[in-house]
Amino acid sequence: MSDYQEPAYQATTTTGTPRWIGLAVGILGAVSVLGLGVGAVALSHTSSIEQSTQTSVRQATDSLNQRLAKEDEINQQLQSDLKVVTDKLNLTQTQLVAARKQNKVVSATVDKKLTGLESNMNTQLATKANTEDLNKLGGDVNGVRTDLDATKNNLQMARSEMGTLIARNHDEIEQLRRMGQRDYFEFTVTRKAGAAKVGSVQVELKDVNTKKNQYTINVLADDKSFEKKNRSVNEPIFFYTGGSHAALELVVNKVTKSSASVYLSVPKAAGATSASNTSSGQ
């Protein structure tokens, strides 16, 4: 036998992979898939919320823009109305100042006439001795006195806030007519007869309080109607028609249970138009 012997190889035992590792890998895989699903759902939900938010913001922005546009339109209209009112107020103030100046001039003229008349009378009475001259002088004095009385009556009339003289009866209306500054139209309004028409203006008597001398009327001019409630007798009502810068003046002089005596005062140019309209309407 040979002394050489092959070394004996020790058998090695190969151990298999434990089962728990496979389970762990499977669980991790399932968790990963679940996480991907949840992430996808969350991403989709987030996208939906973002789209909904953008839509809401866009709608709110559109609504706000519409409101701003409407507010801007209203603001422009208010500015336009304010300009019209401001222009009319400036014009009214100018007319009032002019009326006050005119009143001062008339008063000064009357005082000057009275002073001159007294001086003239004294001079003529001192130089005229016969009865004929005195009678003639007396007639001249009476004529001048009548004119002065009429002027004094005009000065005693109340003035409106626009500076116009307010007539209280037919005689005073005639005095204003003779002054020639405006045209005057007298008429009567009854509750049963409905609206009374003067040119392009219609006046309707709505109510009367004879104890307080008050009335309520409705005025229609230029297709615009406005009501004046509980106004007093001889209290003027001003309004504008046809784009005129000069105001029309309506005054009620007397009221009964069923009627009112009224006059309408208009500027000369507008008065001619009103008279023409009245003639064509009859």
Side-chain angles (χ1 to χ4, degrees):
M1 294 180 63
S2 173
D3 293 335
Y4 177 77
Q5 296 181 352
E6 291 180 359
Y9 291 94
Q10 296 180 352
T12 58
T13 303
T14 303
T15 305
T17 302
R19 291 183 177 180
W20 67 270
I21 294 177
L23 292 174
V25 171
I27 292 172
L28 289 175
V31 170
S32 298
V33 172
L34 180 61
L36 290 174
V38 171
V41 172
L43 182 60
S44 176
H45 184 61
T46 301
S47 177
S48 176
I49 292 176
E50 183 178 358
Q51 292 179 356
S52 176
T53 302
Q54 290 178 353
T55 301
S56 300
V57 170
R58 185 166 54 254
Q59 292 177 350
T61 302
D62 293 341
S63 177
L64 180 59
N65 289 334
Q66 292 176 358
R67 290 180 60 186
L68 288 175
K70 187 174 182 180
E71 292 291 339
D72 185 62
E73 181 180 354
I74 294 174
N75 184 44
Q76 290 180 356
Q77 182 63 37
L78 289 175
Q79 289 180 353
S80 177
D81 294 343
L82 179 60
K83 185 178 183 301
V84 173
V85 174
T86 302
D87 292 341
K88 288 187 176 181
L89 287 177
N90 290 336
L91 181 63
T92 301
Q93 182 66 22
T94 302
Q95 291 176 338
L96 180 58
V97 172
R100 288 176 176 172
K101 290 182 178 179
Q102 182 182 5
N103 191 20
K104 290 182 179 179
V105 172
V106 172
S107 299
T109 302
V110 171
D111 292 339
K112 186 176 180 180
K113 285 185 177 181
L114 288 174
T115 302
L117 177 62
E118 292 177 357
S119 176
N120 189 34
M121 286 177 60
N122 292 332
T123 301
Q124 292 191 35
L125 287 174
T127 56
K128 302 290 184 180
N130 59 65
T131 305
E132 182 179 354
D133 291 338
L134 289 176
N135 290 336
K136 183 179 178 180
L137 180 60
D140 294 341
V141 170
N142 289 333
V144 174
R145 181 172 296 167
T146 300
D147 293 338
L148 290 176
D149 288 341
T151 304
K152 286 182 178 180
N153 288 334
N154 290 340
L155 292 176
Q156 290 173 357
M157 292 183 191
R159 284 192 179 271
S160 68
E161 59 186 20
M162 301 285 285
T164 58
L165 292 170
I166 303 172
R168 294 161 294 188
N169 50 52
H170 173 74
D171 292 337
E172 292 185 351
I173 293 175
E174 287 297 328
Q175 292 180 20
L176 295 181
R177 280 199 181 104
R178 287 193 292 270
M179 293 176 67
Q181 296 178 351
R182 296 170 69 91
D183 289 321
Y184 295 85
F185 302 92
E186 298 178 78
F187 57 98
T188 300
V189 184
T190 59
R191 298 177 64 180
K192 292 183 179 180
K197 185 176 181 181
V198 180
S200 60
V201 179
Q202 296 187 46
V203 180
E204 182 180 6
L205 183 63
K206 306 291 289 186
D207 191 22
V208 175
N209 188 334
T210 55
K211 292 183 178 179
K212 294 183 179 181
N213 264 343
Q214 292 181 339
Y215 61 91
T216 298
I217 62 171
N218 187 66
V219 180
L220 177 64
D222 289 344
D223 296 329
K224 295 180 181 179
S225 177
F226 59 91
E227 187 176 75
K228 296 297 183 180
K229 294 183 177 181
N230 300 326
R231 302 303 291 263
S232 298
V233 169
N234 296 327
E235 178 184 359
I237 298 172
F238 294 97
F239 58 95
Y240 295 83
T241 61
S244 174
H245 293 298
L248 279 71
E249 179 182 15
L250 185 72
V251 180
V252 174
N253 290 138
K254 181 181 178 181
V255 293
T256 65
K257 292 182 178 180
S258 60
S259 65
S261 299
V262 190
Y263 76 82
L264 179 66
S265 167
V266 300
K268 274 292 183 182
T273 303
S274 297
S276 176
N277 292 338
T278 303
S279 299
S280 61
Q282 291 178 349

